[in-house]
Short mmCIF file of all heavy atoms in Angstrom, two decimals:
data_model
loop_
_atom_site.label_atom_id
_atom_site.label_comp_id
_atom_site.label_asym_id
_atom_site.label_seq_id
_atom_site.Cartn_x
_atom_site.Cartn_y
_atom_site.Cartn_z
N CYS A 199 -26.59 12.68 5.07
CA CYS A 199 -25.36 12.93 5.82
C CYS A 199 -24.16 12.76 4.90
O CYS A 199 -24.11 11.84 4.07
CB CYS A 199 -25.27 11.95 6.99
SG CYS A 199 -23.79 12.21 7.99
N ALA A 200 -23.18 13.66 5.07
CA ALA A 200 -21.98 13.61 4.22
C ALA A 200 -20.97 12.58 4.69
O ALA A 200 -19.89 12.50 4.14
CB ALA A 200 -21.33 14.98 4.16
N HIS A 201 -21.36 11.77 5.69
CA HIS A 201 -20.48 10.67 6.08
C HIS A 201 -20.85 9.43 5.27
O HIS A 201 -20.16 9.08 4.33
CB HIS A 201 -20.58 10.41 7.59
CG HIS A 201 -19.75 9.24 8.03
ND1 HIS A 201 -20.19 8.33 8.96
CD2 HIS A 201 -18.52 8.83 7.65
CE1 HIS A 201 -19.26 7.41 9.15
NE2 HIS A 201 -18.24 7.69 8.37
N LEU A 202 -21.97 8.79 5.64
CA LEU A 202 -22.37 7.59 4.91
C LEU A 202 -23.80 7.67 4.40
O LEU A 202 -24.35 6.66 3.95
CB LEU A 202 -22.22 6.35 5.80
CG LEU A 202 -20.78 5.98 6.17
CD1 LEU A 202 -20.73 4.76 7.07
CD2 LEU A 202 -19.95 5.71 4.92
N GLY A 203 -24.42 8.83 4.50
CA GLY A 203 -25.71 9.02 3.86
C GLY A 203 -26.93 8.83 4.73
O GLY A 203 -28.06 8.84 4.23
N CYS A 204 -26.78 8.64 6.03
CA CYS A 204 -27.97 8.55 6.90
C CYS A 204 -28.74 9.88 6.87
O CYS A 204 -28.16 10.92 6.59
CB CYS A 204 -27.55 8.26 8.34
SG CYS A 204 -27.03 6.58 8.62
N VAL A 206 -29.98 13.13 8.27
CA VAL A 206 -29.71 13.98 9.44
C VAL A 206 -31.02 14.59 9.94
O VAL A 206 -31.99 14.72 9.20
CB VAL A 206 -28.69 15.10 9.11
CG1 VAL A 206 -27.37 14.52 8.66
CG2 VAL A 206 -29.23 16.06 8.07
N CYS A 241 -26.62 13.77 12.99
CA CYS A 241 -26.85 12.48 12.34
C CYS A 241 -26.95 11.39 13.40
O CYS A 241 -26.05 11.27 14.24
CB CYS A 241 -25.71 12.18 11.37
SG CYS A 241 -25.93 10.60 10.54
N PRO A 242 -28.02 10.59 13.38
CA PRO A 242 -28.19 9.57 14.42
C PRO A 242 -27.26 8.37 14.25
O PRO A 242 -27.12 7.58 15.17
CB PRO A 242 -29.66 9.15 14.25
CG PRO A 242 -29.97 9.44 12.82
CD PRO A 242 -29.13 10.62 12.42
N CYS A 243 -26.65 8.23 13.09
CA CYS A 243 -25.87 7.00 12.84
C CYS A 243 -24.53 6.99 13.56
O CYS A 243 -24.23 6.07 14.31
CB CYS A 243 -25.67 6.80 11.34
SG CYS A 243 -27.21 6.38 10.51
N HIS A 244 -23.70 8.00 13.30
CA HIS A 244 -22.36 8.00 13.92
C HIS A 244 -22.06 9.33 14.58
O HIS A 244 -20.90 9.67 14.80
CB HIS A 244 -21.28 7.69 12.87
CG HIS A 244 -21.64 6.52 11.99
ND1 HIS A 244 -22.08 6.66 10.70
CD2 HIS A 244 -21.66 5.19 12.26
CE1 HIS A 244 -22.35 5.47 10.19
NE2 HIS A 244 -22.11 4.56 11.12
N GLY A 245 -23.06 10.12 14.81
CA GLY A 245 -22.87 11.34 15.58
C GLY A 245 -22.34 12.53 14.81
O GLY A 245 -21.86 13.49 15.42
N GLY A 246 -22.39 12.52 13.48
CA GLY A 246 -21.96 13.69 12.72
C GLY A 246 -22.81 14.91 13.07
O GLY A 246 -24.02 14.80 13.26
N TYR A 248 -23.62 19.21 12.32
CA TYR A 248 -23.53 20.30 11.34
C TYR A 248 -24.17 21.54 11.94
O TYR A 248 -25.13 21.44 12.73
CB TYR A 248 -24.28 19.94 10.06
CG TYR A 248 -23.85 18.63 9.42
CD1 TYR A 248 -24.41 17.42 9.82
CD2 TYR A 248 -22.89 18.61 8.42
CE1 TYR A 248 -24.03 16.23 9.23
CE2 TYR A 248 -22.49 17.42 7.82
CZ TYR A 248 -23.08 16.23 8.24
OH TYR A 248 -22.69 15.05 7.65
N PRO A 258 -17.62 12.20 12.06
CA PRO A 258 -16.87 11.65 10.91
C PRO A 258 -17.15 12.25 9.53
O PRO A 258 -16.39 11.98 8.61
CB PRO A 258 -17.28 10.17 10.93
CG PRO A 258 -18.62 10.14 11.58
CD PRO A 258 -18.64 11.26 12.57
N PRO A 259 -18.20 13.06 9.31
CA PRO A 259 -18.40 13.56 7.93
C PRO A 259 -17.17 14.33 7.44
O PRO A 259 -16.50 15.01 8.22
CB PRO A 259 -19.62 14.48 8.05
CG PRO A 259 -20.35 13.97 9.24
CD PRO A 259 -19.29 13.50 10.19
S1 FES B 401 -23.80 8.49 8.42
FE1 FES B 401 -23.91 10.36 9.45
S2 FES B 401 -22.30 10.32 10.83
FE2 FES B 401 -22.14 8.45 9.81
#
Side-chain angles (χ1 to χ4, degrees):
C199 181
H201 177 221
L202 293 179
C204 285
V206 300
C241 180
C243 290
H244 314 104
Y248 304 87

